[in-house]
Amino acid sequence: MEATAQKIHEYINHINDELFGVNRYIYQNPEVGFQEKKCSLKLVEVLRKHAFEVTYPVAGIDTAFQATFSHGAKTPHIAVLAEYDALPEIGHACGHNLIATAALGAGLSISQLLSSVQGKVSVIGTPAEEVLSNSGKTQLLKAGLFNDIDVAMMVHPHGNTWLDRPFLSVDEVSVRFLGKSSHAASSPYLGINAYDAIQLTFIGLSFLRQQLRQDAKIHWGDIKVAGSKNVIPDASSATINVRALDDQYTKEVRGKVVNCVKGAALMTGCTADYEVAEGYRAMKYNRHMNKLFGENIRGLGVVIDELPKHGEAASTDMGNVSLVVPSIQPFFKIKDGVTPHTVEFREAAGTEAAFEAMLIATRAMAKTAFDLLSTPEWLRQARNEFEST
């Protein structure tokens, strides 16, 4: 094993128990977006123990933090990103406990290597990745937290090991229909049915799907209807998400969704109040950084899986980061056949096998960061690629 990789390997072995404890703590204390007080504090406590300079909270977000360690010059500046929010009801079914622990392990490992190079590493705690709009990363970007960062990286658990799985752009339409209530049996003709407006919107969206590009997705949830079963409902609401491989087409489809909302209001006589929110942007992978990470994780005995020909695309606020700074988010396999946001994935994310797979990805991420810090030409190539695309 090459000398730097050996140092990383030995150091991660040294802190193995500490990382395992953090991973178990986050997994056993699932907290949804912007409520991750226990998990963020646990990460901050460990980083402070290892002499990182910590700002917590940061950018006005109670559960966000920036922990920095530098040696000599303040540049180059590498950011390793931690996610730690859970999903409602099903806990860490996206494996953010592993993401947070990987960021912690990589950040600590990089700090041990800085005596041989010039530079700085930050572990940035980014809450609420699962909310799809106005998330932790998007708010940290607006606050300027990434302005002095040269490259950013994180890793994500999955049922496959991939370097560059596509991530979709996503926007959100929140709609509320207002109608008029009346008795559903004796005087329904006096009512204006807000629930009918929701139903007609969904019917319109279902017909719209046939006319969309194959990469486009429309889905909805958070459906609420006012009134009991014998009352014509006078209010209803829903949240609709629109996704596609590029930001421009997402915006185009979003406009079609709004037209379905307007049409439902016209058909029912309801008033439609709606808000459009830009969510996550499509991921702009840095191929040069991906290549380095791929070489490093292959050097640890990991086989990169082939991407499927169809499907397998989600959304992440790491896409927003990738438009500001050269970024990567590779995937590492924790168990064959599992997919995120399922009970099966949650169970897999809590196993020792998943923790061991995460340690390998952590070593590869730390080595990739060191490669960029120690070889200015590679860092320039990553930046030139970012600026040219």
Side-chain angles (χ1 to χ4, degrees):
M1 186 180 291
E2 184 261 335
T4 301
Q6 181 65 35
K7 288 181 181 178
I8 294 170
H9 179 79
E10 291 173 356
Y11 182 71
I12 287 181
N13 283 346
H14 175 67
I15 61 172
N16 179 86
D17 290 347
E18 190 168 28
L19 294 178
F20 185 81
V22 171
N23 181 60
R24 292 304 299 169
Y25 182 86
I26 295 175
Y27 183 78
Q28 292 173 351
N29 291 276
E31 299 168 300
V32 297
F34 296 119
Q35 297 179 33
E36 317 97 322
K37 293 183 179 179
K38 292 180 180 178
C39 297
S40 59
L41 181 58
K42 171 63 73 172
L43 292 163
V44 163
E45 287 174 347
V46 175
L47 287 159
R48 282 177 172 155
K49 172 186 169 184
H50 287 270
F52 275 67
E53 182 180 338
V54 180
T55 304
Y56 173 68
V58 70
I61 306 173
D62 288 343
T63 56
F65 65 84
Q66 181 174 15
T68 300
F69 191 101
S70 62
H71 182 84
K74 301 295 184 182
T75 58
H77 188 180
I78 304 283
V80 187
L81 307 190
E83 296 173 1
Y84 33 83
D85 60 317
L87 289 157
E89 299 181 7
I90 56 174
H92 279 294
C94 204
H96 289 193
N97 55 301
L98 297 165
I99 295 173
T101 310
L104 175 64
L108 295 179
S109 299
I110 296 163
S111 74
Q112 297 301 300
L113 302 170
L114 288 179
S115 60
S116 60
V117 293
Q118 297 291 313
K120 177 167 68 171
V121 61
S122 283
V123 179
I124 301 179
T126 63
E129 188 273 340
E130 297 290 357
V131 300
L132 294 185
S133 65
N134 201 32
S135 65
K137 293 187 193 67
T138 59
Q139 292 188 41
L140 294 174
L141 284 164
K142 291 175 184 176
L145 205 70
F146 289 84
N147 289 354
D148 70 337
I149 289 170
D150 291 286
V151 298
M153 59 183 72
M154 59 175 284
V155 291
H156 199 298
H158 200 271
N160 294 277
T161 298
W162 293 323
L163 297 180
D164 55 358
R165 169 198 180 187
F167 276 106
L168 303 174
S169 170
V170 57
D171 284 345
E172 191 166 270
V173 180
S174 300
V175 59
R176 175 177 167 82
F177 290 105
L178 298 176
K180 181 181 178 183
S181 63
S182 65
H183 196 288
S186 66
S187 55
Y189 51 87
L190 297 178
I192 300 175
N193 196 317
Y195 182 59
D196 285 353
I198 286 286
Q199 291 280 61
L200 287 167
T201 298
F202 293 163
I203 291 170
L205 296 178
S206 295
F207 278 98
L208 174 62
R209 282 169 164 155
Q210 185 187 31
Q211 314 302 320
L212 300 180
R213 278 182 357 199
Q214 289 185 345
D215 60 285
K217 317 286 183 185
I218 303 176
H219 52 97
W220 49 81
D222 300 329
I223 302 165
K224 297 180 177 65
V225 183
S228 63
K229 61 185 178 182
N230 66 339
V231 175
I232 299 294
D234 63 354
S236 65
S237 62
T239 302
I240 303 162
N241 289 117
V242 182
R243 308 189 197 219
L245 276 173
D246 62 85
D247 300 340
Q248 183 57 42
Y249 192 63
T250 300
K251 183 178 180 180
E252 182 180 331
V253 176
R254 188 183 75 195
K256 296 177 185 292
V257 169
V258 169
N259 285 339
C260 288
V261 170
K262 292 178 178 177
L266 183 63
M267 284 187 282
T268 58
C270 288
T271 299
D273 295 328
Y274 61 88
E275 294 182 0
V276 175
E278 285 197 356
Y280 301 163
R281 301 301 84 190
M283 183 77 183
K284 178 183 173 182
Y285 280 101
N286 190 275
R287 291 172 296 175
H288 184 75
M289 291 170 61
N290 258 352
K291 180 181 177 183
L292 288 175
F293 181 90
E295 291 172 352
N296 287 321
I297 201 164
R298 286 189 184 97
L300 295 169
V302 175
V303 175
I304 308 298
D305 297 314
E306 289 188 14
L307 286 168
K309 293 181 180 179
H310 305 287
E312 279 296 350
S315 303
T316 176
D317 53 2
M318 192 64 176
N320 300 62
V321 175
S322 73
L323 299 181
V324 175
V325 60
S327 303
I328 58 170
Q329 182 183 297
F331 289 83
F332 61 95
K333 182 188 297 185
I334 61 170
K335 184 180 179 181
D336 282 323
V338 293
T339 57
H341 292 214
T342 63
V343 172
E344 292 76 14
F345 196 90
R346 179 192 66 195
E347 298 305 309
T351 62
E352 289 191 23
F355 177 75
E356 293 299 327
M358 180 274 299
L359 290 180
I360 294 173
T362 301
R363 293 184 179 102
M365 185 161 54
K367 178 61 165 57
T368 301
F370 180 80
D371 290 342
L372 293 166
L373 287 168
S374 61
T375 312
E377 178 58 28
W378 289 352
L379 193 62
R380 277 194 296 271
Q381 288 176 16
R383 189 74 200 183
N384 290 340
E385 177 192 328
F386 171 81
E387 293 176 351
S388 66
T389 55

